Every structure is written in structure tokens, then in C-alpha cells.
Amino acid sequence: MKEKIDALREQFSRELSGAGTSEAVEKLRVAYLGKKGSVTALLKGLKEVGAEQKKEMGQHINQLKRQVEEKLSEQVEAIRAAEEQRQVEAAEQYDVTLPTGGAVGSYHPITVVQRQLEEIFASMGFTIEDYKEIVTDYQCFEAVNIPKDHPARDMQDTYYLENGQLLKTHTSAAQNAIMKKYGAPLRAVFPGRCFRNEALDASHENTFFQMEGMMIDKNISISNLIYFMKTMLSEVFERDINVRLRPGFFPFVEPGFELDISCTLCGGEGCSTCKGSGWIELCPCGMIHHNVLRAGGIDPEEYTGFAFGLGLTRLVMMKYGVGDIRDLNSGNLKALSQFTHE
Ligand code: FA5
């Protein structure tokens, strides 16, 4: 019987070296260790062996069984490692400079509209400013006339860092720094990402873009504000858009307005995006409050100015007919690429 065991060990070694795939290794496992396998057959044959040899042969067969099991799992592991190596090498050979075979990237619709707005405002003498996303309580609230216990803070809950700084809730957080940087007169627009702890729906995201604008000079009035808003909207939409101006309260402007546009998704009939009203709140605005000018180092007796906070993400929805704001943050290329070809 000992010869049989040794012969089987050799046969197994030969067959194992030829088993290059996990399927082949599995076949071997069944052929040797399965119910009808060769090693199992040897164990069953033990009952024919005389009592004096039984113990010794039993040990030999069990040793063979262990060897077969170990070698099989080593082989499986070696095949897996070789496959991994092959994949790594294939990835390293991937050449990012090769043509993509037709798939061309494009700008995000928000970037496209932001650039379009920047061009429009630059042509009217505005500078384009960049500002931080993490700001202090002073920049976001106090400097724009929203003291610590003011109820207007309830409308703009946000995400706070342990050091007391916060993710800015509106681009108005940059007003103070820009006034201090340029003084008066000034014309500036400053796009930026804003964050709010919001209940999400078709027109509310927790992360969205606004574009703020300020114009400060001698004798600036509400008619200047209305002129710039109208010019901006007709250039962006390239057609006439129904607009309504109604009183709105913001602590940093006096008087303040809500500028709404007729919902372009339903033509003003009412839908889930405009919550049935037919109007979309797009661009609150107003004449900059004396306290805000003063905090920015500008004398309100000498200068006046207007400010607006355009909902850039909402403008993109209206321009491209996007019914749900969440599509714009989804990263779904199929959804996004249909809006832009630039
Ligand atoms: C403000 O944020 C003011 N800072 C705007 C302002 C600036 C007023 C200067 C006066 C002078 P409001 O919270 O309404 O206001 O937001 C402005 C616009 O941002 C809204 O009209 C809307 O278009 C957009 N917006 C606000 N919250 C969200 C949100 N959660 N998701 C998407 N867009 C939003």
C-alpha cells in the first residue's frame, strides 16, 4: 500500500504543476479529495489492510491528504497573485494621452453659466473676485448686519468646524473683505459655493452656487440695480424673461427685494420645481445697508450701493430646463453632458 501512496503523491505533483487556472485546481481537488477521489479511496481501502499495518498506513494517507490540501490552496493563492500582477501591469500600460475614441469631456453646466455671467459683468466694468468657502462668523453674519441673536440666522443654518469657523451660507460673506480690499467706488462680482443645512427637495440643495455682485459709488440708486439685473437676465437667457420684484427682508440691505423669474420649466403654470407658484426666487437684492458699508470702511454719507445674491444653481436649472437641482450635483455624466457641448 505504501507504494500506492507514494505513486499517488507523485502523480498529484505532476498534475498540479499543469493546473494553471482556478477551475483546473478545483477539478484536481475533486479528483483527489472528493467523495470519489483517489485519496478518499485510499482511506476507504484501509479496512482491507491487516491490523499490524493499519495504523502506519493510516498515518501515511492522512499525511498525503494534508499535503494535497496545502498544495491545492498554495496553487490557488499563486494563481490569484499572478492575476493581480497581470492587472497591475495592464493598468500601468494604460496611456492617458491616447485618444479617447470619441468620448470628449465638457464643462459642468454651472461652470458654463458662471463664465458667461463673468463675461457679461466684466464687459460692464465689474471685477471678478474669488473667496474662501470656510469663513468666520463675523464674515458670514456680523459684518453683514446679522448679530449673534438675530432671527435671520435661522434661515441659514450651516456646518460648523470645531474652531468656530463655518462653511459659508451665502456669497455675501465676502462683501466685507472686498469692500476693505478696494474701498469705494467699486464694482465686483464674486461667484462661490455655499452650504446650508437644508431639507432637500427639487429646488434646495445643501451645496449650491451663488454669484454675488456689488456696485458702490456716488448716487447709486435702485434704478441702477434694476438696469443691471435686467441686462444680466436678458443676456443669459437670450430672450425676454418675465420678472417680478417684490419687497424682501435681508438685514444687509435697505430697502431689500426678491427678484423672481417666471418658472421656465412650466411656463409659469406651476410645477414641483416652483412649488406650484409659477415663480422661482432667483436673485434677492437691495441697497446696501449703512451698517454694512461702515463695517467695510466705506462712508455711507458719501457713497451708496446695491448688492445682489444670484442663485447661480437655480439659474442653471432655469436656463437648461433641469427639473431637479440634485441632478446637477449627481456626477451623472449622462445627465450632465446633455446640457453642454463646450
Ligand atoms: C441670500 O443668500 C442673500 N445673501 C442674498 C442677497 C445678497 C440679498 C445681497 C440681498 C443682497 P437667499 O437665502 O434668499 O439670500 O439666497 C439667495 C438665492 O440663492 C435664492 O434666491 C436661491 O436662488 C439660492 N438658494 C438659496 N438657498 C438655496 C438652496 N438650498 N439650494 C439652491 N439654491 C439656493
Side-chain angles (χ1 to χ4, degrees):
M1 184 162 207
K2 179 74 171 67
E3 292 79 51
K4 250 184 164 177
I5 297 171
D6 290 340
L8 197 58
R9 181 179 288 113
E10 270 175 35
Q11 183 192 330
F12 173 73
S13 293
R14 265 197 318 278
E15 290 184 12
L16 185 68
S17 59
T21 65
S22 36
E23 290 78 24
V25 177
E26 177 57 16
K27 262 192 191 156
L28 269 190
R29 195 190 63 73
V30 174
Y32 282 81
L33 303 175
K35 264 191 198 153
K36 294 183 183 155
S38 327
V39 178
T40 319
L42 279 180
L43 279 167
K44 281 180 189 159
L46 262 183
K47 51 181 180 285
E48 319 292 331
V49 178
E52 64 292 355
Q53 275 199 318
K54 211 175 212 159
K55 191 172 170 207
E56 194 192 336
M57 289 306 127
Q59 281 171 350
H60 283 309
I61 298 170
N62 275 325
Q63 192 192 30
L64 171 65
K65 190 179 171 199
R66 271 197 307 280
Q67 283 172 346
V68 169
E69 283 169 346
E70 272 169 25
K71 292 227 152 67
L72 284 172
S73 36
E74 278 169 21
Q75 186 78 344
V76 167
E77 184 51 33
I79 290 170
R80 199 190 55 74
E83 173 60 16
E84 234 175 62
Q85 183 60 26
R86 200 189 57 71
Q87 285 177 0
V88 169
E89 278 162 14
E92 278 168 1
Q93 284 161 15
Y94 177 70
D95 183 350
V96 289
T97 63
L98 283 176
T100 57
V104 182
S106 66
Y107 287 114
H108 192 284
I110 294 178
T111 308
V112 172
V113 177
Q114 180 185 318
R115 291 185 177 183
Q116 196 185 350
L117 284 167
E118 287 173 359
E119 258 179 47
I120 296 169
F121 280 105
S123 74
M124 299 192 285
F126 285 69
T127 62
I128 319 294
E129 307 293 326
D130 197 13
Y131 199 62
K132 302 174 277 193
E133 291 182 348
I134 297 174
V135 297
T136 61
D137 185 277
Y138 176 79
Q139 290 155 336
C140 199
F141 300 121
E142 303 253 345
V144 287
N145 207 25
I146 311 180
K148 283 254 165 356
D149 49 1
H150 198 287
R153 288 199 179 205
D154 294 349
M155 320 268 284
Q156 299 194 8
D157 186 20
T158 184
Y159 304 90
Y160 286 82
L161 277 67
E162 273 168 11
N163 65 8
Q165 292 191 318
L166 48 108
L167 299 188
K168 75 167 186 263
T169 57
H170 54 175
T171 38
S172 305
Q175 282 193 9
N176 185 262
I178 290 168
M179 285 183 208
K180 284 178 176 158
K181 182 172 168 193
Y182 293 110
L186 83 81
R187 290 181 192 201
V189 286
F190 27 111
R193 196 185 339 231
C194 304
F195 308 85
R196 290 188 196 177
N197 182 12
E198 291 265 29
L200 305 190
D201 60 28
S203 55
H204 289 85
E205 255 288 11
N206 52 25
T207 305
F208 57 96
F209 286 82
Q210 288 185 345
M211 182 182 261
E212 189 98 353
M214 279 192 303
M215 179 171 181
I216 302 173
D217 209 333
K218 291 184 175 156
N219 302 318
I220 297 292
S221 70
I222 295 171
S223 13
N224 298 110
L225 166 63
I226 293 172
Y227 168 80
F228 279 100
M229 295 297 94
K230 272 191 170 165
T231 309
M232 179 262 292
L233 288 172
S234 61
E235 296 236 3
V236 169
F237 285 99
E238 295 165 81
R239 64 189 161 99
D240 279 341
I241 288 283
N242 278 343
V243 175
R244 73 175 184 189
L245 205 61
R246 57 195 167 91
F249 174 73
F250 301 91
F252 31 95
V253 284
E254 181 57 42
F257 306 99
E258 287 283 4
L259 187 147
D260 304 335
I261 64 165
S262 171
C263 178
T264 58
L265 290 163
C266 60
E269 303 262 300
C271 64
S272 62
T273 308
C274 62
K275 300 214 178 75
S277 72
W279 295 95
I280 289 279
E281 272 182 26
L282 188 69
C283 187
C285 48
M287 301 305 292
I288 303 173
H289 196 286
H290 284 190
N291 290 350
V292 177
L293 288 172
R294 241 181 249 115
I298 294 173
D299 180 1
E301 302 303 325
E302 198 179 351
Y303 291 101
T304 50
F306 67 77
F308 61 87
L310 172 72
L312 181 54
T313 307
R314 290 223 187 129
L315 178 65
V316 172
M317 292 173 73
M318 290 298 108
K319 182 172 159 91
Y320 291 112
V322 180
D324 195 314
I325 193 167
R326 288 161 288 199
D327 286 340
L328 289 171
N329 278 5
S330 69
N332 179 348
L333 293 181
K334 236 182 182 172
L336 295 172
S337 59
Q338 59 185 312
F339 306 123
T340 50
H341 306 287
E342 277 108 309

